[in-house]
Amino acid sequence: MPKAEGKTFQFEGHESIRTDFLETIDFDGKDEYIKIETDEFSAVCPFSGLPDIGRVIIEYYPDGGKIVELKSLKYYFVSFRNVGIYQEEATKRIYEDLKKLLKTNRLRVTVVYNIRGGIKTTTQMGDLAGHDRKVE
């Protein structure tokens, strides 16, 4: 891997992501569309050690009879704060962790990262299985 020019900062590995913080609430509403958004997501670029900050949008249907408890989700997101993880990997990790937790196939995770170097990056994983809601 090439080395970043200039100063670099230390960061933690993926093992610091705290999936054990995630909790669920039983919910009987399999066809209810749920959308969660936050502008307070950050992780660390493993190339430069600089923060990647973005907006996370989680959309899902609770097919597994569970919804994510929001305070636990916030703690989970904060655990990414010092982790070196590429933007695409972060989106995939959030998607996989929530898919396992919620036991649903109707899940989409989108992360819209703040512009860096004049480039806007949006990463997305999953779909809502035929439902036509789409992040703008």
Side-chain angles (χ1 to χ4, degrees):
M1 171 192 259
K3 294 238 181 227
E5 292 182 20
K7 299 185 186 316
T8 58
F9 297 93
Q10 295 285 352
F11 52 84
E12 298 172 5
H14 295 200
E15 67 280 355
S16 293
I17 299 169
R18 300 292 306 267
T19 54
D20 60 312
F21 285 171
L22 289 170
E23 297 178 15
T24 60
I25 298 168
D26 292 337
F27 185 73
D28 183 23
K30 295 180 178 169
D31 288 322
E32 184 169 341
Y33 168 76
I34 298 169
K35 183 176 182 179
I36 300 167
E37 298 180 67
T38 182
D39 289 327
E40 298 178 1
F41 179 78
S42 67
V44 177
C45 172
F47 178 73
S48 65
L50 295 172
D52 282 328
I53 299 169
R55 175 175 168 236
V56 177
I57 302 114
I58 299 165
E59 300 169 277
Y60 70 99
Y61 289 85
D63 294 330
K66 306 274 185 198
I67 57 175
V68 65
E69 195 280 320
L70 296 179
K71 182 173 74 172
S72 78
L73 183 64
K74 178 71 173 195
Y75 285 131
Y76 166 74
F77 284 154
V78 169
S79 77
F80 279 82
R81 181 174 50 198
N82 295 315
V83 172
I85 187 168
Y86 288 108
Q87 294 173 343
E88 298 82 359
E89 285 181 298
T91 303
K92 183 175 187 248
R93 176 65 187 263
I94 295 166
Y95 172 81
E96 290 173 348
D97 289 345
L98 290 176
K99 184 173 179 168
K100 182 178 178 183
L101 179 79
L102 298 170
K103 297 176 178 41
T104 183
N105 289 321
R106 296 192 292 169
L107 168 68
R108 180 167 47 216
V109 174
T110 305
V111 185
V112 181
Y113 288 93
N114 290 359
I115 294 174
R116 183 171 46 167
I119 298 174
K120 180 177 183 177
T121 302
T122 300
T123 60
Q124 186 173 78
M125 272 208 71
D127 66 48
L128 299 176
H131 293 273
D132 61 357
R133 299 187 202 290
K134 191 76 172 162
V135 174
E136 301 162 6

